[in-house]
Structure formats: C-alpha cells, structure tokens
Amino acid sequence: MFDLSAPTVLDRAIEWVAPVYARRRLHARAAMSLYRTMAPGMGGHEAGRTDSPELRDWMPSATDADGDTLPDLSLIRARTRDMARNEPLAAGAQNTTVTGVVGSGIAAKPAPDRTALGLSDREADRWESRARLWWEAWAESTACDLEGELDFYALQDLTFRSVLESGDVLTLHRWRDDRGTPTGTRIQLVEADRISTPRGRPESSNLRAGVETDPDGRTVRWYVADHYPQDAVGLAPTSGNWTAVDPYWPDGTRRGWLLYFRRRIGQRRGVPYLAPIVRPMRTLGRYTQSELMAALASSLFTVFIRSERGDTMDSLDALAAGDIGPGPGGSERSLRLGHGLIAELEPGESIESFNPNRPNVAFDAFVTSIQRQMGVALELPFEVLTKHFASSYSASRAALLEAWRFFRHRREWMVANFCDPAYGAVIAEGVRTGFLEAPGFFRDPLIRRAWLGCQWAGDSMPQLDPLKEVKAAEARVAGEFSTREREAMELTGTDWEQNHRQREKEERYRRAAGLAAPVLEGDPLPTPDPETEVEA
C-alpha cells in the first residue's frame, strides 16, 4: 500500500525553498494518513467496509451490554412468550431444552470430602445417610416452596423454564416456620417482569432495570414491584410499591440469586432463549399458515367471479365472506368456497376457476433449511429440534451427543446457581438444629465447603442402541478411564452404591431360594454370610 506520509519529489523541492512550510505539509499528510487508517471503513477487514452495497446501510450502534439489551427487553419477552404459546417449533425447542436439562429432576447425593474432614468410611457413610434423609425430607415435599405448591424438582423445572422464557428469574431463600415440617427454609421465585426500577427514581449508571450495583459492579440490591407492568385486566395499578431486596443475610450468607446467562461484561439482565430466532420463526409461521390455507383452498372448488363492471376484487372479498350481494331479479346470493358450487350469475359475469398449485412440493425442503439455521442458534441439532431421526445410526447419535453437550452445560449451570445454594442452606439448617453433626461447619469456610460436598445426577442421555452403550461403558471401566459410579450415573442416572447394595440383597434372596446366582464371567462367586443369610 502506498504510504501517503512519505515525502515526495515535490515535498523535497518545497523543503529546499521553504523548510517550515514543507514541515507543516508533511505533518498534515501524516495526520491524514493516520485518519484514513483509523476511520471506519478504511481498515483491512471487509466487515468494516462502508462503501460496499451490502454493508453501506448497516450501521449498528456500539453500546454497552445494557444499552443493547434493556430498551427492547419487555417487548422481546412478550414476543418470545407468545411464540412459546402459539408456535409449535418454538414451544418444542423450549420444552426439549427443559426436558434435556432438568427432566424428572436433578437429584443430590451427599458426598463430603472424607480426606479433608478426616472421616473414616464408616463415619462418612453414616453422615451421608443422615444428610440424605434430611435433604430428601425437604426436597421431596412441597415444604421447600414458599407457596407450598411444588417440590424441589418441580421448582427446578419452573426456574429453568422461566430463565429460558423471560431471560432471568430471581430466586430467594426465605424462612417460614410451619407445623409438621422439620425445616423452615423456603424458596421463592420472582418473575422477571416484577424486577424494575421504582417509579420516580431515574435510571443511572448504578441502577438499571431494577438492579443496583456498587462502583465495582457488584449487586447490592434488587427492587421488586408488588405488581406486574400489566395486571390481569391489562391495566397497571395507579400506585405500587417496590421492595428493596438485599442479596445477603445480615450474617453475610447469600440469600438471593438473579439467574440468567451472562453473555457480555456488565450485563445486568438476561435475554430470552428464543430471542435470536424471533424474526425467522415469525416469518416461517406466517409462511406455513399461508401454505396451509393455500393447500386447503386447492382442495376445494375455488372460483373467481369476473364482472364487466371491473369489481372483481370486491366480488372476491364478498365471496370469501359468503355474501356477494343480490342476484338476478333482486334475490340475495350467498356463495362460499366448497367442494362444489352452482352459481346464478348476473348478465356479464363469468366464473373462472382458480388453482393455487398446492401443496407446494418445495415446502418441506425450504422449511427444513430454515429450521436447521434456527437449530444452530438454539444449539439444538435439527434431528433433536424436530424429533426426526431418519438418517443413519451414526448421524443420529452424533446429533444426540451434540445436544447432550448443550444439555450438560446447562445442567451444570443449574447445579451451580440453583441446586448447590439450596443444598447448602438446607444442610446448614440441619447442622444448626443438631440433626447433623459437622464440627467446624460455621467456623471455617473451607471446612464448611468440605461438608457440603455433593454429587448431582439427572436423567441419562437417550440411547439409540443400549447394548453398544453398555459395552462401551464396560470398556471404559476395564481400561480405568472411568468408574462404575460415573458410568451408572451417565447410563441410568442411578447411584452405584445403592445399586450395589440392592444387588447384594437380591443375590442373597436368590441363593436362599435355591436359584442360581448370575455372575459375570471371571468374577468369584460371592460367599454367603451366615449372619445376614435370610431363610428360604
């Protein structure tokens, strides 16, 4: 590229006659060269060109995360919710994601750090058993819900669904002392619409969309309205109150989380999952509806009424409405599209058949192409998005594995941001009441972390060929690339220790009944224990 700042022959000549003027001229040329280098559209990237027809009118603003998100967030929520209610593909994508991530529920298995706590296997097993009893008494009852309607696994479903549909959801740990329940910890979910800046308070750099932060960007409080922007009759209350919610209890323990997927630095509110496909989904829905109506019309005897008066469109509109005015002699005519039509016409009118050539043979290929693009944005392969597995075993399994990567990532996010905090609060209450003995739990944060060790397991990945999957799991265990505990969790979503104890019990019963106990080839036959042997 030619360097505009380099002196030319003319510059040298001027320098010999007028050095000062030549220096100014050279400085101006250097400044112009720098400007052209840094000005928009003058760089080396095609994406920054402003002189190409494709990019000339595309000048999006470059603002911070809140500037790109908050002005349109309410409208985006309304549109994605409407899509989730009325667009089959949008509803299917959201339901598939919730089912893949949460499914029947993400279950906890207490697993304290035995080495760090100096526990023997017997002591650790006993503590895990009591911790599981305490946890399941809370999680498997509606006592965990402040409203008393859902158990913990249903709360997981509702929480994750709210994040997908609204962009974020506020989860709060509350305390409620009810009779008949051993625990007082409750979870309250607050929908995204209620988190807003109080009326009369201006938006500022540290208060945006109901989220107030300190100079470091750390959330110090949320403002929760006691009403929705629009109530059930479509009108907002004339007056409303906002509650300032602190994320921490007075002792510094965390009590609230605004759950959303953060995509940019400084982002304070989440964006709905379906936001990237709103426009193509809406357009595809309208196109599908038009093709459906065209196909319906083509199945009927469809006609145009042509008149010498030139009011063809008026007649067509009337025909669609079922009324095309008075007939010959002043009689009323009422015609509708149908399987057959006999019309009494005015002088000068004629009927011409209409054939829209539907169904459209290219419809499926075009819709499939658009669905593939939307699946990329949603991280759902086309086969999983449409529940259509018509290709080979390898291709179908690759689609399931790709979707499973997405589901596992979201499940780990749910565990870290929703499940683990709830488990910590419930176990802390068990230690505080004396049901669980955990020395150093409230004194040392590292000891507390060791006591709160937990493994979470959800539904396993779907299997196209279970036999192949089992053989692969056996090979991984035999090659010491995995453990039986991990494989049991991955294949069936069960606990290996519980499976092992149940198998031992079954073997004892089978031997006591005189039945041959099936064993794996190469395994020694278990020796009966006289003290635990059951009677036949």
Side-chain angles (χ1 to χ4, degrees):
M1 180 177 179
F2 180 68
D3 186 3
L4 295 177
S5 64
T8 64
V9 175
L10 180 60
D11 293 330
R12 292 191 180 93
I14 295 175
E15 181 182 3
W16 187 77
V17 177
V20 176
Y21 178 75
R23 185 174 67 251
R24 293 176 181 173
R25 174 183 169 88
L26 190 60
H27 287 174
R29 289 167 59 84
M32 183 59 69
S33 177
L34 180 63
Y35 169 76
R36 290 177 178 176
T37 301
M38 300 184 65
M42 300 301 295
H45 289 277
E46 291 290 335
R49 296 291 297 272
T50 57
D51 56 346
S52 64
E54 298 83 1
L55 304 177
R56 182 184 305 150
D57 298 329
W58 186 19
M59 301 294 290
S61 60
T63 62
D64 61 1
D66 290 338
D68 285 342
T69 302
L70 299 183
D72 306 321
L73 190 54
S74 296
L75 181 58
I76 294 174
R77 286 198 197 112
R79 286 174 172 172
T80 55
R81 288 171 180 168
D82 183 75
M83 286 170 51
R85 289 191 297 265
N86 299 302
E87 294 288 350
L89 193 65
Q94 189 164 287
N95 292 335
T96 296
T97 304
V98 174
T99 301
V101 174
V102 177
S104 60
I106 309 174
K109 178 183 181 298
D113 192 328
R114 305 183 181 202
T115 303
L117 298 172
L119 300 177
S120 65
D121 289 344
R122 183 180 183 87
E123 293 171 337
D125 290 343
R126 182 177 180 276
W127 196 92
E128 290 175 4
S129 178
R130 290 182 64 82
R132 173 173 287 185
L133 176 63
W134 177 263
W135 165 257
E136 291 180 350
W138 178 85
E140 296 181 358
S141 71
T142 57
C144 63
D145 182 13
L146 184 67
E147 298 179 359
E149 298 292 336
L150 307 175
D151 63 13
F152 184 65
Y153 308 108
L155 283 174
Q156 292 175 2
D157 184 290
L158 182 59
T159 299
F160 188 67
R161 188 179 298 275
S162 299
V163 172
L164 295 181
E165 190 168 286
S166 302
D168 52 46
V169 63
L170 180 62
T171 63
L172 299 174
H173 290 176
R174 301 282 299 275
W175 177 267
R176 183 184 178 97
D177 190 6
D178 295 329
R179 292 183 178 181
T181 60
T183 57
T185 301
R186 303 289 185 266
I187 291 180
Q188 179 184 12
L189 302 181
V190 181
E191 199 162 32
D193 306 67
R194 293 177 56 194
I195 306 169
S196 58
T197 301
R199 185 181 298 112
R201 292 195 58 177
E203 300 280 345
S204 62
S205 59
N206 66 330
L207 175 58
R208 293 180 179 177
V211 181
E212 185 174 352
T213 59
D214 63 13
D216 295 328
R218 185 185 182 92
T219 301
V220 295
R221 63 186 56 88
W222 301 289
Y223 291 94
V224 180
D226 61 357
H227 63 275
Y228 280 82
Q230 288 186 332
D231 61 14
V233 297
L235 298 175
T238 56
S239 63
N241 298 318
W242 278 261
T243 302
V245 179
D246 196 305
Y248 299 89
W249 292 107
D251 63 356
T253 306
R254 189 76 181 264
R255 67 180 295 254
W257 293 260
L258 183 60
L259 304 185
Y260 62 95
F261 302 116
R262 180 170 294 191
R263 303 298 188 188
R264 290 183 59 184
I265 299 172
Q267 181 181 345
R268 304 192 199 191
R269 301 300 300 269
V271 179
Y273 174 59
L274 299 176
I277 66 167
V278 166
R279 184 162 62 177
M281 178 67 74
R282 175 68 171 174
T283 306
L284 183 63
R286 295 176 62 186
Y287 171 66
T288 303
Q289 186 68 18
S290 298
E291 287 290 335
L292 179 62
M293 296 306 297
L296 176 62
S298 68
S299 68
L300 306 175
F301 181 71
T302 308
V303 300
F304 283 110
I305 296 182
R306 182 177 298 276
S307 172
E308 293 182 352
R309 297 188 303 269
D311 55 355
T312 305
M313 292 304 300
D314 294 339
S315 299
L316 180 61
D317 293 339
L319 178 61
D323 184 7
I324 59 173
S331 62
E332 291 293 330
R333 290 186 298 174
S334 179
L335 304 178
R336 293 182 182 274
L337 299 180
H339 298 286
L341 177 65
I342 300 176
E344 185 178 2
L345 304 178
E346 292 277 5
E349 290 183 344
S350 64
I351 291 180
E352 297 185 5
S353 62
F354 169 65
N355 182 13
N357 295 321
R358 292 298 188 274
N360 183 0
V361 294
F363 174 78
D364 185 68
F366 175 76
V367 170
T368 298
S369 176
I370 301 301
Q371 289 174 346
R372 292 184 189 278
Q373 296 180 41
M374 290 190 292
V376 171
L378 300 176
E379 295 191 66
L380 292 176
F382 168 77
E383 293 84 355
V384 178
L385 177 64
T386 60
K387 304 296 191 298
H388 182 71
F389 297 90
S391 53
S392 64
Y393 168 82
S394 299
S396 298
R397 189 172 188 277
L400 285 176
L401 289 175
E402 189 64 26
W404 193 245
R405 288 175 56 193
F406 169 62
F407 296 152
R408 287 191 61 175
H409 178 248
R410 291 292 187 265
R411 181 178 294 179
E412 292 172 359
W413 179 88
M414 271 292 292
V415 167
N417 293 277
F418 182 75
C419 300
D420 269 339
Y423 179 79
V426 173
I427 295 300
E429 184 180 353
V431 175
R432 191 179 295 111
T433 60
F435 184 83
L436 298 172
E437 297 180 4
F441 187 90
F442 296 107
R443 185 179 65 255
D444 189 336
L446 294 180
I447 297 298
R448 178 186 179 119
R449 179 181 176 85
W451 282 113
L452 291 178
C454 181
Q455 295 180 352
W456 295 88
D459 295 342
S460 59
M461 185 184 74
Q463 301 169 16
L464 296 179
D465 191 335
L467 182 59
K468 290 183 179 179
E469 301 291 346
V470 170
K471 289 183 177 179
E474 292 176 351
R476 286 193 293 267
V477 173
E480 299 183 355
F481 303 119
S482 183
T483 63
R484 287 182 169 84
E485 182 178 30
R486 177 177 295 276
E487 294 301 331
M489 187 180 301
E490 293 288 341
L491 282 177
T492 59
T494 58
D495 181 6
W496 179 83
E497 292 185 7
Q498 288 186 343
N499 294 345
H500 183 69
R501 287 193 293 268
Q502 181 63 25
R503 286 190 61 203
E504 287 182 332
K505 177 181 178 181
E506 292 173 357
E507 294 301 321
R508 290 197 302 269
Y509 272 86
R510 289 177 63 83
R511 289 196 300 271
L515 301 175
V519 295
L520 295 177
E521 183 179 355
D523 286 352
L525 186 66
T527 303
D529 186 353
E531 296 181 358
T532 59
E533 194 71 52
V534 297
E535 296 182 359

